[in-house]
Amino acid sequence: MARDLAFLIPEIMVLLTAILALAAEMLRLPRTALMVTLAGLLLATGLSMPLLGAHTSVFSGTFRIDTLSIWAKLILLPATLLSVLLARAELGGSDREGTVYSLLCLVTLGALLLAGAGDTMLLVLGVLLSGLGSFALVAYPRNDSATEAAMKFFVFASVTGGVMIFGLSYWFGGTGSTLLSDLARLDTAPVVAAVGLVAVIVGLGYKASLVPFHFWAPDAYEGAPVSIAAYLSVAPKIGAILALAQVVRDLPVATGWPMVVALIAVLTMTYGYLAALAQDNVVRLLAYSSIAQAGYFLLGIVAVGASPLAFESMIVFAAAYAAMNLGAFAVVMCTGRTLAALSGIGRSHPVMGVAMVVFLLSLVGIPPLAGFVGKFLLFGASIDAGFIWLTVIAIINSVLSLAVYLRVVVPMYQRRDDARVKDLAPMPLVKLVWVNAFVFTLGVGLAAQVLLGQLDRPLQ
Amino acid sequence: MFEAVLFYIFATVLVVSAVAIITVRNPVHAVLCMVLCFFTTAGLWLLLRAEFLAIALVLVYVGAVMVLFLFVVMMLDVNVEQLRAGIWKNLPLALVVGGIMIFEMVALLARQVFGGLAPREAGPGYSNTKELGMLLYTDYAYPLEVAAVILLVAIIAAIALTLRRRKDTRRPAPAEQIRARREERVRLVAMPAEKDE
């Protein structure tokens, strides 16, 4: 027990942080809550470092301490930290500010659980934990649009969650165990395996906003505060994708999951970018773009078990995606939600303009930015796994995505209409976030080799 | 033999009460049928020697959850006719979904997919409660704690979203009243003396 708990120190730290932030909120000390949250998340990130290289599981295999779950901590905890800063800039001074920080920590805890799930029980609990907190965060402003967004999100989550639990019961029936490592026993029962697979894809697909379970995402992002939308597009999504990787790792290939995942990847990428082309609201555009990006993650998933690059590529892309997406949302927080609000920003605020262009080009996957490294590895992994047609479609979609992101970039550098340009309110915290994201997006691209060396080889 | 008779009695009551839940017109009666349903299920579980689950079902569901249900149903004053209005419109879809579910279950059960899972006969002195406790607090300690955190999140979320300082209530703020200074409340205005005409 003591040995197992030692491996869970980062998670325990996150939980403690959430509770301390809540206590500070109870005493009406929102500043203290903020400080406690930031310090706690930093500490938890630091405490995850010593775990690097570990490959084991705790509590009889229910939770895995491996490459995926450790790197998930190292990516999601700093991402949560940046989201907390964004939330402070946007929601600071509101009635119950401390609960936002606390809920952000708890949702991250749920995402971390998903990333290391070794048991179907933890899949369900992780989806529930990250879901419940998310609904409250989306509904936090309590105006009509936020409530509507949260309600859509909630109804969608309830239905998909129900389907997932129902399907997982088939896996339990088929294997007599809730452990994912026992899924190999499903070799002889393809029907049972298929029912469970569909259920898991529904349940995790909604969380990762894969097409066709993405309907909630644009509405929820639009109705929620921008900082919360930024957070939702990063932490729960990465958690769910890594959970899917944990599941398919043990699932017999005979169930045909690589093909199912590949088809969903094609749908997700293509639909996400096509829908993004039609948006005038930058938050909705980024929402559809984040749907499409989830499709790229699936290129790593189809390669699980077939390519040694699978886990590495997903981790690198997750880190890059977290940085560039948070950065882009942070810039949108500074400017405003419509494409019109962005016009002329590149000329009036040159540094921020350059940062936004870097984030968007990184989302396209242009070298030498972080997004390129991630996508390059993902393409490599899926080619390794024999999915060349999928890689070709992904590359075609990257070209399509250029059109999507140029729709944002072009107005930024249009000759500005001086009468309409208003000074943006200075937001030092938001600036801190996008500067950090900017440095990371550039830095990872340039130092890709160093980061790749750090990843330990996944055991296949 | 006696067990088989009991099983069939319980099973019949269970099916009849389950059907009654969705067919009776009065929602209060439906809830009461559901209570009966749970009770009978608990009986079935006792026959399977799962005494802990059976008692938990009676205590938690019958004792707490259903009372709450009953309370809500009585409070809400549901208009039954309105609820029933949509039933024919949604029937085809419901039949398709139900049909698929029945097909799936029959397909799986008919082919004996779950054949290897016959319950093991437990020896004397076997205690369900003890075994469950052992599993929950050793192998499944982590999920158990997470479930506790989920309850915490649910409470935080519910409070954060519903508890608010109402702006329209008129109550005195003692702190503000004590802090009030004369200068804030009284303004001396120099008025020209009125001329008497």
Side-chain angles (χ1 to χ4, degrees):
Chain A
M1 186 71 116
R3 169 219 171 250
D4 289 357
L5 283 178
F7 280 110
L8 294 179
I9 286 176
E11 275 91 347
I12 296 173
M13 194 62 221
V14 175
L15 181 61
L16 270 180
T17 308
I19 290 170
L20 285 178
L22 205 60
E25 165 65 18
M26 201 173 67
L27 301 171
R28 298 248 159 236
L29 299 167
R31 259 193 100 75
T32 317
L34 177 72
M35 292 304 156
V36 165
T37 315
L38 295 179
L41 287 172
L42 265 184
L43 193 58
T45 317
L47 288 171
S48 328
M49 297 275 190
L51 295 179
L52 273 177
H55 191 94
T56 176
S57 63
V58 293
F59 291 111
S60 321
T62 53
F63 188 74
R64 292 171 179 170
I65 308 289
D66 58 6
T67 327
L68 283 183
S69 74
I70 297 168
W71 276 98
K73 294 191 227 312
L74 291 176
I75 294 166
L76 293 186
L77 292 173
T80 310
L81 193 112
L82 294 183
S83 309
V84 168
L85 290 176
L86 288 182
R88 165 75 181 182
E90 192 176 15
L91 303 171
S94 58
D95 204 12
R96 249 163 253 290
E97 196 188 330
T99 42
V100 174
Y101 308 142
S102 177
L103 284 173
L104 283 172
C105 290
L106 289 166
V107 175
T108 303
L109 187 64
L112 295 180
L113 281 177
L114 282 175
D119 192 293
T120 51
M121 210 81 91
L122 272 184
L123 282 183
V124 173
L125 291 171
V127 166
L128 273 177
L129 182 55
S130 53
L132 270 179
S134 305
F135 311 143
L137 286 171
V138 170
Y140 180 78
R142 290 201 297 229
N143 51 28
D144 283 349
S145 64
T147 312
E148 188 193 330
M151 201 60 211
K152 280 180 187 162
F153 190 9
F154 175 68
V155 170
F156 209 89
S158 314
V159 175
T160 50
V163 171
M164 176 160 123
I165 295 172
F166 177 68
L168 286 176
S169 68
Y170 278 75
W171 273 357
F172 178 60
T175 62
S177 151
T178 56
L179 286 175
L180 291 180
S181 49
D182 288 332
L183 284 182
R185 287 188 208 157
L186 288 177
D187 254 342
T188 49
V191 186
V192 178
V195 174
L197 176 65
V198 169
V200 167
I201 286 180
V202 172
L204 294 176
Y206 120 79
K207 198 135 268 288
S209 64
L210 304 175
V211 177
F213 315 108
H214 64 283
F215 298 103
W216 61 274
D219 293 331
Y221 292 5
E222 193 189 358
V226 181
S227 53
I228 301 303
Y231 175 74
L232 288 183
S233 73
V234 173
K237 179 183 290 238
I238 292 177
I241 299 251
L242 296 183
L244 197 55
Q246 295 280 18
V247 172
V248 296
R249 216 169 151 180
D250 294 307
L251 205 58
V253 182
T255 54
W257 63 261
M259 195 44 92
V260 175
V261 173
L263 289 177
I264 291 179
V266 171
L267 268 181
T268 308
M269 288 186 288
T270 316
Y271 180 85
Y273 282 138
L274 286 179
L277 270 176
Q279 304 303 322
D280 286 325
N281 181 321
V282 187
V283 173
R284 280 186 88 85
L285 189 145
L286 285 176
Y288 278 109
S289 120
S290 78
I291 291 172
Q293 302 286 345
Y296 283 92
F297 274 109
L298 296 186
L299 262 68
I301 297 208
V302 294
V304 169
S307 161
L309 271 176
F311 290 162
E312 280 180 27
S313 60
M314 270 191 280
I315 289 165
V316 173
F317 189 61
Y321 170 78
M324 56 206 186
N325 224 35
L326 281 177
F329 270 104
V331 173
V332 172
M333 264 183 79
C334 287
T335 58
R337 293 172 176 233
T338 53
L339 274 179
L342 275 166
S343 74
I345 288 295
R347 287 166 184 268
S348 58
H349 298 77
V351 183
M352 191 161 81
V354 168
M356 187 64 168
V357 172
V358 165
F359 295 139
L360 295 178
L361 291 185
S362 176
L363 281 167
V364 178
I366 286 181
L369 304 170
F372 164 73
V373 184
K375 283 193 179 171
F376 183 71
L377 288 171
L378 285 171
F379 294 161
S382 69
I383 290 176
D384 256 7
F387 279 92
I388 295 172
W389 60 271
L390 180 60
T391 317
V392 171
I393 293 177
I395 292 171
I396 294 173
N397 268 306
S398 290
V399 178
L400 176 62
S401 74
L402 193 60
V404 171
Y405 297 119
L406 281 182
R407 286 195 62 221
V408 183
V409 173
V410 170
M412 281 171 59
Y413 287 92
Q414 269 167 356
R415 196 155 295 283
R416 70 177 169 209
D417 185 359
D418 277 83
R420 271 183 38 221
V421 167
K422 51 184 187 299
D423 279 333
L424 300 174
M427 296 173 116
L429 283 178
V430 181
K431 190 171 180 180
L432 183 67
V433 172
W434 63 252
V435 167
N436 265 312
F438 178 65
V439 170
F440 186 84
T441 311
L442 267 183
V444 168
L446 298 173
Q449 288 309 312
V450 182
L451 194 80
L452 286 182
Q454 286 286 312
L455 291 171
D456 51 342
R457 292 271 150 192
L459 303 177
Q460 294 296 327
Chain B
M1 180 60 205
F2 178 61
E3 267 186 33
V5 172
L6 269 186
F7 170 78
Y8 283 112
I9 293 174
F10 281 151
T12 319
V13 175
L14 179 60
V15 172
V16 170
S17 62
V19 170
I21 295 173
I22 50 172
T23 51
V24 293
R25 288 198 166 256
N26 188 332
V28 177
H29 293 172
V31 174
L32 290 175
C33 286
M34 206 158 164
V35 170
L36 180 61
C37 203
F38 282 140
F39 233 97
T40 335
T41 316
L44 280 178
W45 284 355
L46 271 180
L47 285 180
L48 288 170
R49 298 183 184 81
E51 74 280 353
F52 180 78
L53 283 180
I55 292 168
L57 186 75
V58 171
L59 283 182
V60 177
Y61 278 88
V62 179
V65 177
M66 291 322 291
V67 171
L68 209 66
F69 257 59
L70 211 56
F71 188 65
V72 171
V73 167
M74 286 174 165
M75 291 276 290
L76 279 183
D77 191 22
V78 192
N79 184 350
V80 188
E81 291 313 313
Q82 209 177 357
L83 278 182
R84 280 172 187 273
I87 198 165
W88 292 110
K89 206 177 66 189
N90 294 326
L91 191 65
L93 181 69
L95 279 180
V96 171
V97 173
I100 292 174
M101 280 169 77
I102 291 176
F103 166 76
E104 283 179 349
M105 291 198 175
V106 170
L108 289 175
L109 293 178
R111 292 176 51 198
Q112 294 287 316
V113 203
F114 298 148
L117 286 174
R120 262 171 302 162
E121 200 59 42
Y126 176 88
S127 159
N128 259 312
T129 319
K130 197 174 159 190
E131 290 298 314
L132 268 175
M134 286 290 283
L135 263 184
L136 273 185
Y137 290 98
T138 55
D139 289 0
Y140 289 95
Y142 195 31
L144 185 77
E145 294 302 324
V146 175
V149 175
I150 289 179
L151 290 181
L152 174 71
V153 171
I155 295 172
I156 298 174
I159 292 176
L161 291 183
T162 53
L163 187 66
R164 63 186 81 187
R165 224 179 277 138
R166 296 181 58 138
K167 295 200 172 61
D168 54 349
T169 50
R170 302 185 180 282
R171 56 167 183 210
E176 246 171 71
Q177 289 173 337
I178 293 169
R179 250 188 276 119
R181 295 267 157 274
R182 178 174 175 274
E183 293 76 36
E184 295 165 11
R185 302 290 164 94
V186 183
R187 191 161 54 103
L188 290 181
V189 185
M191 297 280 285
E194 279 178 33
K195 285 193 181 120
D196 199 17
E197 302 214 9

